[in-house]
Amino acid sequence: MKWNTIIYVLIFSGLGLFSYSLIVNYTDFSPQMAEVFYSKGALIFTIIAFNLLGYSTLRISEWVNRQYVLNAFRKWKIVMVYLTVIFLFLLLNYSLFVTGKLLANIEPIFYFSHSGWHLLIVVWMAELVIIGLLLSNRTLQANQVLQQEAAKLQIENTQAKYIALQSQLNPHFLFNSLNTLIAEIKYNSDNAVRFTQHLSYVYRYVLQCQDKNLVPLNEELDFMHSYLFLHKVRLGNCINCDCNISTDCMERQIPPLTLQLLVENVIKHNSIAPSKPMKINICIENDYLAVSNPISPKKKADAFSGIGLNNLSNRCRLMTDKDIIIQKEESIFTVKIPIIV
């Protein structure tokens, strides 16, 4: 910030010196005007005036840019903003000319000759061209940032979907699922049919999410119930989910496969057995989807890499400008995911 200020001061002062030299060397003044312009005070005033005009141009262009974002769909407000800017620059120039005449003790202070008005209009038009160029440059920069964020989001989503697909199609997961299915066919054929249906739904949902950035919460919950069912059958019906979400929130959206990642972390890092059942709680807290579970670490805990949560955090920041919230208390672990209303 400090270096930017110094650079701007140097640029505006250089423009002031250049303009002063042009006025002094290529303009015929009357003796009274020449005495005023060929003084150190006139030089200093010109430099200060150009710095004031420069900073005013920057600030007004920033203000116009913000107003454009806020009122992009209200054309009449945009027109009013531009008309206000045009008037403000004209008023600013007039004030600077009056101040210059006042400092130089030139009478009358508020009256300008034809050449004076001509100079005022020329400076005013030049400023409008400059602010137009600044706004165009800011628009191009904003578009470039949006394109970079979109590209980054695409990379993040591709990585997340690949990781999730890899996890679901992991030979170890598939091996466990098939072994469970074989046991169910032998001892509980009716449940084997349900197991096969849920297993098919899990794989189908993962494949369908490949081209989606966001999915409705109800779809994620349906997928999570199927995913949990597979683990319930394998672990002995010792993992349950308490979902306390009202129906009017079901259309809110989150990144796909979010709940799969969180449930997988619960199963991976906690000891779960009929003697140690696990209960996952899901609710909405202030536009966040909160997923919490009791902490019951395994004796030989798997190393926690945090790759999945970091990836989810990056996706949430890009799509909602909010980060996930991770809370680890003495006995409860909670992850809060921003949801899009």
Side-chain angles (χ1 to χ4, degrees), residues 72-85:
F73 300 103
R74 298 185 179 94
K75 293 184 178 180
W76 68 271
K77 284 194 174 182
I78 297 298
V79 172
M80 291 301 297
V81 165
Y82 284 121
L83 290 176
T84 302
V85 169

Side-chain angles (χ1 to χ4, degrees), residues 31-143:
Q32 182 185 8
M33 293 297 294
E35 183 180 354
V36 172
F37 273 98
Y38 296 152
S39 64
K40 291 183 179 179
L43 174 61
I44 295 173
F45 176 79
T46 303
I47 293 174
I48 293 174
F50 267 81
N51 276 277
L52 180 59
L53 285 171
Y55 275 102
S56 298
T57 303
L58 291 176
R59 296 297 171 261
I60 290 177
S61 68
E62 290 175 358
W63 178 73
V64 171
N65 212 34
R66 288 195 299 269
Q67 295 301 313
Y68 184 82
V69 173
L70 293 174
N71 302 292
F73 300 103
R74 298 185 179 94
K75 293 184 178 180
W76 68 271
K77 284 194 174 182
I78 297 298
V79 172
M80 291 301 297
V81 165
Y82 284 121
L83 290 176
T84 302
V85 169
I86 291 172
F87 176 75
L88 285 175
F89 268 107
L90 183 61
L91 184 62
L92 178 62
N93 289 332
Y94 180 78
S95 301
L96 287 173
F97 274 63
V98 169
T99 303
K101 294 183 71 174
L102 181 63
L103 293 175
N105 197 23
I106 298 175
E107 297 288 347
I109 295 175
F110 297 102
Y111 172 77
F112 295 108
S113 63
H114 178 75
S115 59
W117 280 110
H118 180 74
L119 181 60
L120 177 64
I121 297 299
V122 169
V123 173
W124 177 53
M125 295 297 292
E127 290 166 353
L128 294 182
V129 171
I130 291 172
I131 196 171
L133 293 173
L134 286 172
L135 290 174
S136 300
N137 181 57
R138 287 180 184 276
T139 301
L140 291 174
Q141 289 178 343
N143 288 336

Side-chain angles (χ1 to χ4, degrees), residues 231-277:
H231 287 287
K232 282 183 182 180
V233 175
R234 182 174 66 86
L235 296 173
N237 198 25
C238 54
I239 179 169
N240 292 288
C241 179
D242 183 11
C243 185
N244 185 20
I245 299 177
S246 61
T247 55
D248 59 344
C249 295
M250 289 299 181
E251 293 302 318
R252 298 185 180 186
Q253 297 188 319
I254 60 174
L257 303 171
T258 295
L259 293 179
Q260 182 273 332
L261 169 66
L262 299 180
V263 170
E264 182 69 24
N265 281 344
V266 172
I267 297 172
K268 182 178 179 181
H269 298 291
N270 290 278
S271 176
I272 304 173
S275 59
K276 290 183 179 180

